[in-house]
Amino acid sequence: MADQKIKNPELPINKTSAMNDLDFITDILSTEKYMTASYCTALNEFSHDELYQEISVIFNESQDCQREIYNLMFKKGFYGIEAQDSNKLQQSYEQFQGYMNQFPTH
């Protein structure tokens, strides 16, 4: 099976020097990705439990927002994904199962 792109029809965007809807939503998604990564780093370094819990809630909200933005961009045709055949998926699964078997069990 040849790789197939799974994508919705792209929303028409005026290509000008001014920022358009695609530019704005891409900027918002980039900001959310940066914020999520930063919250993740902060959570790994907090020693104060209550602060950890508060930031954890904000992290999850930011992660959910990032996912909603991605879904909107996919719906508008700004993102696409590659379809893979089941043999390739099975091969990847087996490869990562092999990696997991190398980790110590507790």
Side-chain angles (χ1 to χ4, degrees), residues 4 9 11 32 37-39 43 45 59 65-66 68 76 81 91 96:
Q4 296 177 355
L11 180 71
E32 284 299 329
S38 297
Y39 286 133
L43 287 170
E45 297 176 358
F59 167 78
C65 185
Q66 178 182 326
E68 289 175 24
K76 300 294 183 184
I81 56 176
Q91 183 182 23
F96 287 104

Side-chain angles (χ1 to χ4, degrees), residues 30-88:
S30 295
T31 300
E32 284 299 329
K33 286 180 176 182
Y34 173 78
M35 290 173 57
T36 300
S38 297
Y39 286 133
C40 188
T41 299
L43 287 170
N44 288 330
E45 297 176 358
F46 279 133
S47 60
H48 191 275
D49 288 337
E50 289 179 38
L51 185 56
Y52 175 87
Q53 294 302 323
E54 287 294 319
I55 298 301
S56 180
V57 170
I58 296 169
F59 167 78
N60 287 325
E61 290 171 353
S62 180
Q63 186 72 34
D64 291 344
C65 185
Q66 178 182 326
R67 182 68 181 168
E68 289 175 24
I69 294 166
Y70 167 81
N71 286 336
L72 176 64
M73 291 181 78
F74 182 79
K75 181 179 174 183
K76 300 294 183 184
F78 300 141
Y79 265 109
I81 56 176
E82 297 291 329
Q84 295 294 324
D85 65 55
S86 60
N87 290 335
K88 198 166 190 177

